[in-house]
Amino acid sequence: MNDSPGWATPGSSPSEGERPGAPAEQPQPPAQPADAPKWSAEQPPPGQWQSPAPGQNPPPAPQGGGWGGYPPQPPPYGGPQGGQYGYPGGPGHWGQPPAAKPGVIPLRPLGLGEILDGAVATMRAHWRSVLPITLVVATVVQVISLLVQKLVMEDIVVSLDRGNVSPEQLLSTMGNAFAASAAAQFLQSLGGIIVTAMLTMIFSKAVLGQHSSVSQAWRDARPQLLRLVGLTLSLGIGLILLGTVIILPLALVGNAGLIVLGAFAALALLCWLWIKFLLASPALMLERGTVFKSFARSSKLVKGSWWRIFGITLLTLIITAIFAAIIVLPLQMIGFSVFGDGLGSMQDPLAATAWGPLVLTGIGAIIAQAVIMPIQSGVTVLLYVDQRIRREGLDLELARAAGVENYGG
């Protein structure tokens, strides 16, 4: 979708034998009775709008006119107009038709509710493609995390509980736990990259009202997977190094106040960069660009809308976190109640590594992640689409790709 479709202005076609621009035939006045009042022979010129005679087509719209012969409207995405945004079908333009909606979202700038609803609607309408991807990845990640907690963390808890472990043994145990946790985190990140890549393709088709199978999503995403891995690693390592450069010198000084101030400054900077490059992943997958070009595209799209994107992303994280807690916490409490010594054992580190609570907590986490990942990925993809509609008129290309006729007239 590189070339833009034409913009056709709708209007009524002239009747047969009538040339465009020709003046309409004026109706003849009826005969006046003899005692009727006499009117002056000089009448003011007729107005611009005249009623046609019965059976006669209305005159053609003036050249350069807009919808239905009214004066042309300003560009649809040029900013506020009289306090409202001028997108088709939006507030302030009651005379225009509603925006086309071939898929899960209308083809116009989106609001918060439409972005969240689009993500949920895609997951519901395309669950046969979405859930297998997220369930497989979430299951693999949670099984690995469960084994790490059971086999590695249990050794640390037992060693600390005994109290007679030498520093060398404790250091070795903690090193093994750190290595196992790092490996589990790496696999989790890799699974998240695969989910993001495939869900991006599914959501891009859902916007057009098209379905995408798991195999087709994999074929579409596979050429960009290595670049997506490079993008994710570059962003993660860059943020870690930046935070270390800010906090480490202050930590060496030893001033607690400076350390706290530096931590807040680093957190604010990392949050700003995170939102600035949030749209790099969908830009990489859908525009087929390079890693650095995708970072530049995200920066360009987010510019001027940072707070709006930050608010939508933060609200999405809060909603998904609440949903995860609703799913995981009851199963976790059941695990401690049935397989432990009651809810009071939740504070016992050794009881937390028992098989019963671990398995039930893992099941809850799998269910939660299978639902959370599509919503988070969907919101990011729809934010990317929304920003391109607002800035680049992407809705015209989407309408043409979806086969919407006469869109943009």
Side-chain angles (χ1 to χ4, degrees), residues 237-395:
I237 294 174
L239 294 178
I240 292 174
L241 291 178
L242 182 60
T244 304
V245 168
I246 295 176
I247 298 177
L248 184 59
L250 300 177
L252 295 177
V253 173
N255 190 314
L258 289 178
I259 294 175
V260 173
L261 183 62
F264 277 108
L267 181 62
L269 181 59
L270 295 180
C271 182
W272 178 75
L273 291 174
W274 170 49
I275 297 298
K276 182 181 180 67
F277 298 128
L278 180 68
L279 306 182
S281 174
L284 177 73
M285 298 302 300
L286 298 178
E287 298 180 19
R288 306 289 179 174
T290 62
V291 172
F292 293 104
K293 187 176 180 180
S294 300
F295 280 132
R297 285 287 291 150
S298 177
S299 177
K300 179 180 178 181
L301 292 173
V302 172
K303 185 178 181 181
S305 303
W306 190 94
W307 283 107
R308 176 177 177 271
I309 296 175
F310 170 76
I312 294 175
T313 305
L314 180 61
L315 180 61
T316 304
L317 292 176
I318 294 174
I319 293 175
T320 52
I322 294 174
F323 176 82
I326 292 175
I327 298 297
V328 174
L329 286 179
L331 291 177
Q332 190 177 32
M333 289 189 292
I334 292 174
F336 280 103
S337 300
V338 175
F339 301 99
D341 297 330
L343 296 180
S345 60
M346 295 180 65
Q347 304 297 328
D348 184 6
L350 189 59
T353 60
W355 279 111
L358 283 177
V359 170
L360 287 180
T361 303
I363 292 174
I366 291 173
I367 298 173
Q369 287 297 319
V371 178
I372 287 174
M373 286 191 288
I375 295 178
Q376 292 178 342
S377 298
V379 168
T380 303
V381 173
L382 294 182
L383 279 173
Y384 165 82
V385 174
D386 174 61
Q387 288 301 111
R388 287 201 61 187
I389 288 177
R390 293 172 181 268
R391 295 178 179 270
E392 302 172 359
L394 182 66
D395 58 320

Side-chain angles (χ1 to χ4, degrees), residues 193 225-236 284 291 295:
I193 291 173
L225 271 180
L226 289 180
R227 289 182 176 179
L228 185 60
V229 171
L231 184 146
T232 306
L233 291 178
S234 300
L235 184 59
L284 177 73
V291 172
F295 280 132

Side-chain angles (χ1 to χ4, degrees), residues 60-132:
Q63 296 293 329
W67 187 278
Y70 289 97
Q73 298 293 332
Y77 311 121
Q81 304 171 12
Q84 303 290 346
Y85 285 94
Y87 51 79
H93 288 261
W94 302 106
Q96 294 184 353
K101 189 178 179 181
V104 294
I105 59 170
L107 299 184
R108 56 170 170 77
L110 305 174
L112 168 63
E114 291 169 328
I115 291 176
L116 294 174
D117 180 70
V120 176
T122 302
M123 186 178 62
R124 293 174 58 186
H126 304 268
W127 63 269
R128 290 181 179 87
S129 302
V130 171
L131 287 184

Side-chain angles (χ1 to χ4, degrees), residues 21-294:
E25 180 181 355
Q26 300 294 331
Q28 299 296 328
Q32 301 290 332
D35 56 348
K38 304 297 182 181
W39 298 97
S40 173
E42 297 182 359
Q43 294 295 327
Q48 182 179 1
W49 305 103
Q50 301 181 13
S51 301
Q56 177 185 357
N57 291 334
Q63 296 293 329
W67 187 278
Y70 289 97
Q73 298 293 332
Y77 311 121
Q81 304 171 12
Q84 303 290 346
Y85 285 94
Y87 51 79
H93 288 261
W94 302 106
Q96 294 184 353
K101 189 178 179 181
V104 294
I105 59 170
L107 299 184
R108 56 170 170 77
L110 305 174
L112 168 63
E114 291 169 328
I115 291 176
L116 294 174
D117 180 70
V120 176
T122 302
M123 186 178 62
R124 293 174 58 186
H126 304 268
W127 63 269
R128 290 181 179 87
S129 302
V130 171
L131 287 184
I133 298 172
T134 55
L135 276 175
V136 170
V137 173
T139 301
V140 172
V141 169
Q142 290 302 320
V143 167
I144 295 175
S145 299
L146 186 147
L147 293 176
V148 170
Q149 294 182 52
K150 177 61 180 178
L151 303 178
V152 179
M153 300 304 296
E154 186 177 27
D155 292 340
I156 297 179
V157 173
V158 171
S159 300
L160 294 176
D161 186 62
R162 290 175 180 175
N164 56 354
V165 181
S166 64
E168 292 79 9
Q169 292 176 339
L170 181 60
L171 186 61
S172 176
T173 303
M174 295 185 65
N176 294 334
F178 177 79
S181 300
Q185 188 65 35
F186 174 77
L187 292 176
Q188 182 175 358
S189 301
L190 185 61
I193 291 173
I194 296 175
V195 168
T196 300
M198 297 180 67
L199 291 183
T200 298
M201 298 305 170
I202 294 176
F203 273 91
S204 66
K205 294 291 184 65
V207 170
L208 303 177
Q210 302 173 2
H211 291 269
S212 179
S213 63
V214 175
S215 58
Q216 184 178 357
W218 170 253
R219 288 194 302 269
D220 294 338
R222 186 173 54 187
Q224 293 293 99
L225 271 180
L226 289 180
R227 289 182 176 179
L228 185 60
V229 171
L231 184 146
T232 306
L233 291 178
S234 300
L235 184 59
I237 294 174
L239 294 178
I240 292 174
L241 291 178
L242 182 60
T244 304
V245 168
I246 295 176
I247 298 177
L248 184 59
L250 300 177
L252 295 177
V253 173
N255 190 314
L258 289 178
I259 294 175
V260 173
L261 183 62
F264 277 108
L267 181 62
L269 181 59
L270 295 180
C271 182
W272 178 75
L273 291 174
W274 170 49
I275 297 298
K276 182 181 180 67
F277 298 128
L278 180 68
L279 306 182
S281 174
L284 177 73
M285 298 302 300
L286 298 178
E287 298 180 19
R288 306 289 179 174
T290 62
V291 172
F292 293 104
K293 187 176 180 180
S294 300

